[in-house]
């Protein structure tokens, strides 16, 4: 099978190797170790450029090449998560089948793995990500994209990384599932595109941060606000556009950081001038004593239209029994914690969304 | 120094058994001490068991290898003994690069003299050495040895030596069967992007870099029984198909596939699946680049197999506990 980017295995030239070794991710000690493994010993005082010159003259075999590209990879970069709800009453067996039946005809470089869990189905896609803007040996990197499907009642929740690839795979799953169910499937995503009042958009976040079940809002540490300037084509609410444009000035976007941001006068001034929240970072604390503090993030990837909703569990500050409080440094969430909080976030987002619909949807039509 | 005669004898054997085949030359003087010129070494003389030299294929300069032949019992190949040997070799080589005495004894000509590299040659004289020398080297405190900036040391451990001897034995077998000319072969150095081969394509020696590489490529002229072509000694396990796709891509990159010459890939260390994996890799490679009859013909000229005879340990003679004799 031929594809435009050539085969996935190719031999790098000495210059490619030299350039790759120059990257700061390849440490001096690693360069020395590579030579030592070959039985070649040089002074540890030689700088990395000298070491790179020596190494790039050697023959690299496939394993050396893999090791080098591994060093150059971005380790576990946190990807934000997003979700979609598919209106379909189905069962887990169908979800598994849908994952297995995905059309793989155009995907020579990808491998698919389906895992059936207790109450969800996980599809793991391993693929090669290509970025031609990087130096040769960094252009290709192996990435994983995990899609989790959960069916309850007449809905199926699809959780995926908020990336182009995530979206692509999720669409394939949806297509495959609709073939099994035998009907076109409707998809529900969280989007405030139809709500143009800044209050409505901000209220969504205000509700969201208070709706994490079992946790109470502790603090809001950072808020990005956005001022809609571009015309939102046809579905734009003329009235609010006129209202806000008079003091738009040139500020389109502002980021506020600190403690208690939502209570600050600065925020409230901006808010009353037609800015709305498009991204928020906040912490919640377990309502039970002795629980952890969790830092969460939610945002609309496209703020002007408030679409492309995504979220992230940023970290956990663990409760320490000895000092009877949560420790100051946060650590990365475990897989389990990420799962639990993604669930909480999704539910909270739905609750918040429903509230906005309830409060603003009807009157909006009548007002116009 | 009771083992003096032994060292000289051993040096002769090693150079005949191994390095002659890799087209290295040997200096006449063996097992000689020469004057130290660095006060901080606090030594009167340094030893040289044997000095090899060859023309470096990529710089064209002559590389001299001040060699220390060490023979240990299995148990005494450890971090302490190797550290000690490396320390001593490191200061010897530092001196050899600037010692008039050394230069008078060993230098063939001032012309093309580039540098002296230290080679530590470690035999194991009682049993098969089964530990991984990489771990031993990793544990060495290099701050203490403090290799000077312009000095390069190379270690050939029992495992490496066994590999080299296996390659030489295979070469001898091929020559005996008339599948390789006795002298009309060269180690193959493709032009790289940042450095180009010096001098003629033919008659090149196996450089230290080539001998420590995962594969070694030889180009040979025709005999009555075989056309001009290549022999590749592949030293890795060959447990994956991917590594061979990569190797075939290397052959293509080195322009070895252009002239439809026969290529014999010979595994020195391979797992049982290696030949099978290699054949799969050929098919994969064809598939990757799209079906093409000409390419298929080229790839079918590549044959792969394990080398027939292998020695488990190379130890031509005992030279006793030389590690205590300095």
């Amino acid at each position: 099978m031929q594809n435009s980017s050539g085969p996935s295995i190719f031999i790098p030239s000495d210059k490619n190797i030299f350039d790759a070794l120059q990257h700061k991710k390849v440490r001096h000690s690693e360069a020395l170790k590579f030579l030592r493994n070959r039985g070649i010993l040089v002074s540890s005082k030689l700088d990395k450029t000298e070491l790179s010159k020596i190494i790039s003259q050697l023959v690299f075999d496939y394993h050396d090449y893999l090791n080098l590209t591994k060093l150059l990879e971005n380790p576990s970069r946190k990807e934000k998560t997003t979700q979609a709800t598919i209106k379909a009453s189905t069962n887990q067996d169908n979800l598994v089948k849908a994952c297995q039946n995905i059309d793989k005809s155009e995907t020579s470089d990808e491998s698919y793995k389906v895992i059936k869990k207790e109450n969800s189905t996980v599809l793991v896609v391993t693929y090669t990500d290509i970025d031609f803007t990087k130096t040769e040996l960094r252009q290709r990197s192996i990435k994983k994209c995990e899609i989790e499907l959960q069916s309850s009642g007449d809905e199926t929740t699809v959780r995926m990384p908020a990336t182009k690839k995530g979206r692509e795979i999720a669409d394939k799953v949806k297509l495959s599932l609709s073939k099994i169910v035998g009907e076109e499937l409707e998809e529900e995503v969280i989007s405030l595109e139809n709500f143009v009042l800044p209050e409505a958009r901000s209220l969504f976040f205000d509700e969201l941060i208070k709706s994490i079940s079992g946790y109470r809002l502790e603090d809001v540490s950072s808020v990005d606000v956005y001022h809609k300037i571009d015309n939102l084509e046809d579905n734009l609410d003329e009235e609010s556009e006129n209202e806000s444009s008079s003091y738009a000035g040139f500020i389109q976007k502002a980021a506020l950081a600190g403690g208690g941001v939502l209570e600050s006068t600065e925020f409230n001034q901006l808010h009353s001038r037609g800015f709305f929240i498009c991204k928020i970072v906040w912490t919640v604390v377990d309502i039970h004593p002795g629980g952890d503090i969790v830092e969460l993030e939610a945002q609309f990837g496209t703020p002007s239209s408030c679409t492309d909703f995504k979220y992230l569990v940023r970290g956990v500050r663990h409760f320490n029994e000895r000092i009877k409080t949560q420790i100051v440094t946060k650590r990365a969430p475990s897989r389990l914690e990420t799962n639990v909080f993604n669930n909480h976030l999704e539910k909270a987002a739905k609750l918040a969304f429903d509230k906005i619909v309830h409060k603003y949807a009807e009157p909006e039509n009548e007002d116009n | 120094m009771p083992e003096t005669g032994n060292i000289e004898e051993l040096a002769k054997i090693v150079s005949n058994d191994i390095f002659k085949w890799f087209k290295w030359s040997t200096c006449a003087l063996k097992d000689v001490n020469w004057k130290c010129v660095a006060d901080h070494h606090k030594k009167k003389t340094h030893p040289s068991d044997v000095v090899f030299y060859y023309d470096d294929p990529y710089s064209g300069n002559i590389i001299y290898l001040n060699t220390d032949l060490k023979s240990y019992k299995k148990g005494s190949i450890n971090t302490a003994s190797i550290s000690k040997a490396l320390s001593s070799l490191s200061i010897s080589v530092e001196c050899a690069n600037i010692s008039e005495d050394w230069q008078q004894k060993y230098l063939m000509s001032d012309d093309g003299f580039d540098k002296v590299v230290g080679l530590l040659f470690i035999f194991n004289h009682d049993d098969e050495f089964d530990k991984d020398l990489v771990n031993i080297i990793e544990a060495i405190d290099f701050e203490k040895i403090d290799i000077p900036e312009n000095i390069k040391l190379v270690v050939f451990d029992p495992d490496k030596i066994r590999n080299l001897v296996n390659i030489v034995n295979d070469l001898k077998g091929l020559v005996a069967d008339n599948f390789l000319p006795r002298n009309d072969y060269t180690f193959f150095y493709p032009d790289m992007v940042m450095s180009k081969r010096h001098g003629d394509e033919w008659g090149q020696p196996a450089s230290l870099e080539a001998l420590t590489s995962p594969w070694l490529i030889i180009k040979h002229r025709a005999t009555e029984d075989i056309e001009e072509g290549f022999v590749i000694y592949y030293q890795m396990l060959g447990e994956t198909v991917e590594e061979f796709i990569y190797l075939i891509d290397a052959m293509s990159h080195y322009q070895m596939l252009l002239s439809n010459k026969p290529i014999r890939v010979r595994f020195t260390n391979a797992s049982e699946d290696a030949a099978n994996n290699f054949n799969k890799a050929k098919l994969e490679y064809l598939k990757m680049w799209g079906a093409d009859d000409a390419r298929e013909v080229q790839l079918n000229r590549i044959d792969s197999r394990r080398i027939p005879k292998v020695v488990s340990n190379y130890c031509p003679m005992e030279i006793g506990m030389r590690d205590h004799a300095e």
Side-chain angles (χ1 to χ4, degrees):
Chain A
M1 187 165 301
Q2 277 179 300
N3 54 34
S4 55
S5 51
S8 52
I9 298 174
F10 71 104
I11 179 168
S13 74
D14 54 325
K15 178 80 167 70
N16 296 152
I17 292 171
F18 180 82
D19 291 348
L21 290 166
Q22 289 297 304
H23 197 275
K24 62 177 184 300
K25 278 193 178 149
V26 181
R27 279 174 297 158
H28 185 262
S29 59
E30 260 138 0
L32 270 179
K33 193 173 163 192
F34 178 88
L35 285 171
R36 279 175 196 164
N37 286 349
R38 288 268 169 112
I40 300 172
L41 312 175
V42 292
S43 167
S44 8
K45 289 193 203 85
L46 287 185
D47 64 24
K48 223 179 78 186
T49 311
E50 286 299 319
L51 292 177
S52 306
K53 265 188 212 158
I54 299 173
I55 295 176
S56 63
Q57 294 234 336
L58 303 176
V59 171
F60 261 55
D61 75 348
Y62 184 59
H63 303 99
D64 299 325
Y65 162 74
L66 281 190
N67 289 339
L68 181 58
T69 48
K70 207 175 279 170
L71 287 181
L72 296 170
E73 266 172 28
N74 286 326
S76 66
R77 194 166 53 86
K78 264 200 233 165
E79 272 174 352
K80 293 187 176 68
T81 310
T82 189
Q83 63 119 19
T85 309
I86 298 175
K87 294 280 177 199
S89 58
T90 182
N91 54 27
Q92 210 184 352
D93 289 344
N94 276 344
L95 293 180
V96 170
K97 219 190 282 170
C99 290
Q100 286 170 332
N101 290 354
I102 283 182
D103 177 19
K104 299 173 187 115
S105 57
E106 288 169 15
T107 55
S108 59
D109 268 1
E110 293 171 5
S111 69
Y112 289 73
K113 190 172 76 178
V114 183
I115 307 162
K116 186 175 172 181
K117 292 194 172 170
E118 208 172 311
N119 44 27
S120 70
T121 306
V122 178
L123 171 68
V124 184
V125 181
T126 313
Y127 64 101
T128 316
D129 191 50
I130 298 172
D131 181 352
F132 289 113
T133 61
K134 291 179 174 166
T135 57
E136 186 121 6
L137 282 194
R138 299 191 70 211
Q139 284 174 1
R140 278 156 210 271
S141 54
I142 308 291
K143 285 195 171 164
K144 273 191 188 349
C145 169
E146 228 181 271
I147 311 266
E148 192 174 2
L149 302 151
Q150 221 167 345
S151 160
S152 71
D154 58 352
E155 285 182 352
T156 300
T157 316
V158 186
R159 185 182 295 162
M160 61 198 136
T163 57
K164 212 173 120 199
K165 194 74 190 176
R167 191 65 251 180
E168 190 186 310
I169 308 281
D171 284 344
K172 282 187 185 170
V173 177
K174 196 177 128 191
L175 191 70
S176 168
L177 184 64
S178 79
K179 275 182 197 156
I180 290 169
V181 198
E183 55 178 295
E184 190 110 339
L185 297 174
E186 215 179 288
E187 190 181 320
E188 205 173 69
V189 288
I190 290 188
S191 144
L192 300 181
E193 199 168 4
N194 295 324
F195 300 92
V196 285
L197 282 180
E199 291 83 359
R201 291 185 169 188
S202 282
L203 185 65
F204 170 77
F205 284 99
D206 213 23
E207 290 291 337
L208 168 67
I209 59 178
K210 285 187 237 159
S211 309
I212 304 293
S213 144
Y215 287 78
R216 128 177 94 70
L217 173 65
E218 199 226 18
D219 194 14
V220 174
S221 50
S222 133
V223 169
D224 283 17
V225 288
Y226 193 84
H227 193 298
K228 177 168 52 68
I229 286 176
D230 308 334
N231 282 338
L232 264 183
E233 290 133 19
D234 305 334
N235 59 359
L236 182 81
D237 185 334
E238 297 271 340
E239 208 173 307
S240 65
E241 169 68 7
N242 294 338
E243 204 180 301
S244 54
S245 58
S246 52
Y247 24 64
F250 288 103
I251 299 175
Q252 181 177 341
K253 194 180 169 185
L256 311 168
V261 173
L262 289 189
E263 278 76 48
S264 67
T265 40
E266 290 84 354
F267 171 73
N268 283 314
Q269 276 171 12
L270 284 172
H271 198 202
S272 62
R273 289 185 183 185
F275 281 86
F276 58 86
I277 303 173
C278 63
K279 179 182 174 185
I280 193 162
V281 179
W282 77 104
T283 48
V284 291
V285 60
D286 200 327
I287 46 173
H288 303 293
D292 302 337
I293 288 180
V294 186
E295 191 177 52
L296 304 168
E297 179 185 321
Q299 74 174 107
F300 283 108
T302 317
S304 57
S305 58
C306 274
T307 50
D308 187 14
F309 181 65
K310 48 192 179 184
Y311 44 87
L312 176 71
V313 184
R314 287 169 64 109
V316 177
R317 284 169 54 202
H318 202 61
F319 186 82
N320 187 313
E321 280 298 333
R322 200 170 45 79
I323 53 170
K324 295 288 173 217
T325 183
Q326 288 89 357
I327 50 170
V328 181
T329 32
K330 70 170 185 227
R331 57 167 174 77
S334 69
R335 226 183 138 73
L336 185 73
E337 285 164 339
T338 305
N339 250 324
V340 167
F341 280 95
N342 275 340
N343 248 326
H344 283 327
L345 278 164
E346 282 152 21
K347 283 192 183 131
K350 253 184 222 169
L351 276 177
F353 184 67
D354 286 347
K355 274 199 180 164
I356 306 304
V357 172
H358 185 74
K359 190 168 176 189
Y360 290 95
E362 294 307 317
E364 191 189 332
N365 289 335
E366 283 167 21
D367 284 355
N368 300 330
Chain B
M1 287 194 281
E3 77 290 346
T4 306
N6 275 350
I7 289 287
E8 197 180 337
E9 192 59 27
L10 181 70
K12 272 186 200 155
I13 295 173
V14 167
S15 90
N16 249 322
D17 276 3
I18 305 178
F19 292 113
K20 192 177 71 188
W21 288 86
F22 293 124
K23 302 194 182 272
W24 288 13
S25 312
T26 314
C27 293
L29 279 177
K30 293 179 184 73
D31 192 19
V32 171
N33 290 338
W34 41 272
K35 272 193 211 105
C36 172
V37 290
D39 294 341
H40 67 276
H41 289 167
K42 299 195 175 74
K43 292 203 173 232
K44 280 196 181 128
T45 61
H46 292 292
S48 289
D49 289 346
V50 55
V51 174
F52 298 108
Y53 61 94
Y54 65 80
D55 289 344
D56 183 65
Y58 285 112
S59 70
N61 291 325
I62 303 172
I63 304 286
Y64 288 85
L65 296 149
N66 193 66
T67 307
D68 196 353
L69 303 170
K70 285 268 190 260
S71 176
Y72 297 99
K73 281 195 292 190
K74 183 182 169 189
S76 25
I77 304 185
N78 53 39
T79 303
S81 62
I82 305 297
S83 291
K84 198 177 151 207
L86 284 174
S87 286
S88 152
L89 183 62
S90 172
I91 54 173
S92 300
V93 174
E94 186 185 16
C95 242
N97 271 292
I98 46 168
S99 158
E100 197 176 10
D101 191 16
W102 188 93
Q103 287 164 6
Q104 275 171 358
K105 283 186 164 75
Y106 293 108
L107 217 54
M108 306 312 291
S109 135
D110 290 351
D111 191 29
F113 171 62
D114 182 22
K115 63 180 163 210
V116 183
V117 173
L119 176 61
L120 180 62
F121 205 86
I122 307 170
F123 292 103
N124 166 221
H125 64 65
D126 58 352
D127 194 15
E128 196 177 331
F129 175 68
D130 52 3
K131 258 194 276 178
D132 200 353
L133 200 84
V134 166
N135 295 330
I136 293 177
I137 290 181
E138 272 306 301
I140 289 174
D141 181 2
F142 281 97
E143 293 298 311
K144 230 164 108 187
I145 296 181
D146 196 21
I147 303 172
E149 277 187 47
N150 52 350
I151 296 302
K152 181 148 103 187
L153 305 179
V154 177
V155 180
F156 280 180
D157 62 8
D159 197 45
K160 180 88 232 168
I161 295 169
R162 182 165 64 228
N163 256 328
L164 297 181
V165 172
N166 282 332
I167 291 175
V168 169
N169 282 348
D170 191 58
L171 287 174
K172 284 178 185 166
L174 290 176
V175 169
D177 291 343
N178 210 20
F179 287 139
L180 188 78
R182 174 67 188 84
N183 290 311
D184 247 353
Y185 66 87
T186 180
F187 293 88
F188 179 72
Y189 298 93
D191 274 352
M192 298 199 275
V193 179
M194 292 161 70
S195 39
K196 307 282 176 213
R197 191 198 60 240
H198 242 260
D200 193 61
E201 182 181 16
W202 293 90
Q204 295 285 359
S207 66
L208 278 172
E209 289 76 16
L211 289 179
T212 50
S213 283
W215 61 70
L216 181 68
I217 307 179
I218 293 171
K219 188 173 183 181
H220 62 84
R221 299 240 201 245
T223 68
E224 292 91 47
D225 293 316
I226 193 157
E227 307 160 49
E228 184 173 304
F230 297 94
V231 174
I232 300 181
Y233 285 101
Y234 190 75
Q235 317 218 34
M236 309 308 284
L237 290 174
E239 282 174 321
T240 63
V241 177
E242 288 81 5
E243 65 187 83
F244 290 126
I245 296 179
Y246 181 95
L247 178 66
I248 295 171
D249 197 45
M251 295 177 195
S252 156
H253 189 74
Y254 299 159
Q255 318 278 307
M256 289 165 63
L257 302 178
L258 282 185
S259 43
N260 276 3
K261 293 191 168 81
I263 299 175
R264 289 173 280 174
V265 179
R266 301 182 73 85
F267 306 124
T268 57
N269 243 333
S271 72
E272 301 221 326
D273 299 330
N276 196 17
N277 286 339
F278 192 87
N279 287 331
K280 279 190 202 158
K282 278 204 261 185
L283 293 175
E284 278 286 313
Y285 193 78
L286 274 177
K287 220 167 82 183
M288 264 179 182
W289 290 98
D292 175 343
D293 294 341
R295 189 171 294 117
E296 195 172 340
V297 171
Q298 284 168 2
L299 290 189
N300 284 337
R301 296 284 276 164
I302 310 174
D303 156 86
S304 66
R305 66 185 63 200
R306 282 203 271 182
I307 60 173
K309 258 186 299 177
V310 287
V311 299
S312 61
N313 190 26
Y314 173 74
C315 181
M317 60 192 292
E318 284 201 16
I319 48 169
M321 303 293 287
R322 223 189 84 87
D323 41 322
H324 294 303
E326 276 160 20

